[in-house]
């Protein structure tokens, strides 16, 4: 039997132009994730530093979902129940919130924190927005340390209790790991040791973001 050669994917000029475009602006997106889904790995903390030093806009999928609950939206009860259980909200809901937030914002550099949490999140985001991340910033931290930080966070989150924290870790192993593996195979995962004190972690983050330094 002869060798079967896959036909090359046909990419039209329009598709090439459309890649990473949001309306008429070209955007840079960095996904921010962590080990075991990264709850408590310091994603939000370091994103604030990146915003200040590198001019990115921080969009936390979890924060957008929590704001949606507060807004009294028809999806509010469903989202709240999913968060209490540490489960992943359907992609169409989260992607719509992320897309709206990016369109409303004039910036062209976004940190998307806590997303994609599963293969459905990842594939749907790329299909709907045609945006691929520049890279994935991955915070590596032990389960014990993340648990300790979350139990001491005191922000009144419904999911910062030992029962939900353990469920969130379990969901990661089942759902989020393939996402990391997908981007790892594309050499897009930049791993950070997140167990160190906050300023030391930021030194490592800074080295990764140096190419995005604001012109002075
Ligand atoms: N490197 C660090 N060392 C010690 N404490 C930290 C460190 N980074 C963050 N913290 C603290 O740990 C807690 C969790 O941090 P943060 O909210 O940034 O985590 P997160 O990754 O965004 O978690 P989640 O996914 O649950 O939103 C906060 O109280 C924060 O001040
Ligand atoms: N892509 C996502 C992100 C988050 N969630 C839900 O929100 C919870 C809290 O997320 P944090 O990033 O703030 O830790 C998370 O446990 C999920 O229930 C989601 O569904 N999809
Ligand atoms: Mg956070």
């Amino acid at each position: 039997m002869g060798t079967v050669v896959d036909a090359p994917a046909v990419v039209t000029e329009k598709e090439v132009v459309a890649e990473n475009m949001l309306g008429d602006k070209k955007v840079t997106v960095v996904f921010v994730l962590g080990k075991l889904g990264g709850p408590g790995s310091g994603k939000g903390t370091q994103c604030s530093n990146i915003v200040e030093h590198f001019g990115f806009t921080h969009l936390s999928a979890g924060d957008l979902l929590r704001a949606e609950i507060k807004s009294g939206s028809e999806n509010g009860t469903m989202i709240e129940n999913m968060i209490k259980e540490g489960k992943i909200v359907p992609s169409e809901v989260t992607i719509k919130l992320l897309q709206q937030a990016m369109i409303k914002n004039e910036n062209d550099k976004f940190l998307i924190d806590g997303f994609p949490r599963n293969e459905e999140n990842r594939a749907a985001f790329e299909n709907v927005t045609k945006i691929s991340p520049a890279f994935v910033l991955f915070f590596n931290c032990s389960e014990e340390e993340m648990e300790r930080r979350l139990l001491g966070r005191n922000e009144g989150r419904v999911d910062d209790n030992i029962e939900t924290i353990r469920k969130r870790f379990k969901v990661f192993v089942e759902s989020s790991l393939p996402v990391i593996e997908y981007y790892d195979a594309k050499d897009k995962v930049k791993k950070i040791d997140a167990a160190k004190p906050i300023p030391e972690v930021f030194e490592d983050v800074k080295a990764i973001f140096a190419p995005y330094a604001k012109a002075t």
Side-chain angles (χ1 to χ4, degrees):
M1 198 167 45
T3 313
V4 178
V5 180
D6 282 341
V10 178
V11 180
T12 66
E13 194 182 333
K14 198 168 166 215
E15 278 169 328
V16 172
V17 171
E19 201 174 279
N20 277 24
M21 295 298 290
L22 192 70
D24 56 5
K25 66 178 172 183
K26 187 164 173 66
V27 293
T28 299
V29 163
V30 173
F31 288 149
V32 184
L33 291 167
K35 192 177 165 201
L36 295 169
S41 60
K43 300 184 303 297
T45 305
Q46 295 299 332
C47 281
S48 300
N49 288 333
I50 300 166
V51 166
E52 195 184 323
H53 287 77
F54 297 101
F56 276 70
T57 291
H58 174 211
L59 299 176
S60 153
D63 287 350
L64 289 170
L65 291 168
R66 283 182 284 274
E68 188 68 359
I69 299 171
K70 277 209 185 124
S71 77
S73 122
E74 56 176 353
N75 285 323
T77 308
M78 177 275 289
I79 297 172
E80 189 167 24
N81 289 335
M82 302 290 272
I83 289 181
K84 274 186 192 152
E85 287 300 311
K87 290 186 180 157
I88 308 300
V89 173
S91 298
E92 72 242 34
V93 174
T94 316
I95 289 170
K96 195 167 158 212
L97 294 173
L98 287 169
Q99 226 179 355
Q100 283 171 347
M102 283 194 287
I103 289 166
K104 260 201 298 200
N105 199 295
E106 282 183 3
N107 204 347
D108 59 358
K109 295 186 288 185
F110 296 95
L111 298 166
I112 301 195
D113 162 5
F115 185 95
R117 286 286 236 279
N118 60 15
E119 268 296 292
E120 191 210 0
N121 270 184
R122 183 199 64 73
F125 183 85
E126 293 198 6
N127 285 336
V128 171
T129 66
K130 310 285 178 225
I131 295 170
S132 306
F135 60 89
V136 178
L137 187 63
F138 182 88
F139 289 104
N140 203 21
C141 195
S142 71
E143 188 168 334
E144 296 71 34
E145 175 64 10
M146 291 193 284
E147 213 175 271
R148 196 182 62 72
R149 290 180 189 174
L150 291 177
L151 293 174
R153 181 155 57 178
N154 277 329
E155 286 180 4
R157 277 179 52 165
V158 292
D159 52 353
D160 279 351
N161 58 78
I162 194 65
E163 202 186 323
T164 311
I165 291 167
R166 298 248 160 100
K167 283 183 185 163
R168 289 156 81 192
F169 290 158
K170 189 165 173 282
V171 165
F172 173 81
V173 175
E174 290 163 1
S175 311
S176 309
L177 199 54
V179 174
I180 305 300
E181 287 168 350
Y182 174 88
Y183 288 116
D184 217 9
K186 291 178 177 285
D187 220 11
K188 281 196 173 187
V189 179
K190 296 188 189 288
K191 210 180 257 188
I192 293 276
D193 176 4
K196 298 192 283 190
I198 294 170
E200 289 179 34
V201 176
F202 189 53
E203 283 307 306
D204 294 344
V205 169
K206 267 203 288 202
I208 290 174
F209 278 83
Y212 300 93
K214 285 188 269 189
T216 48

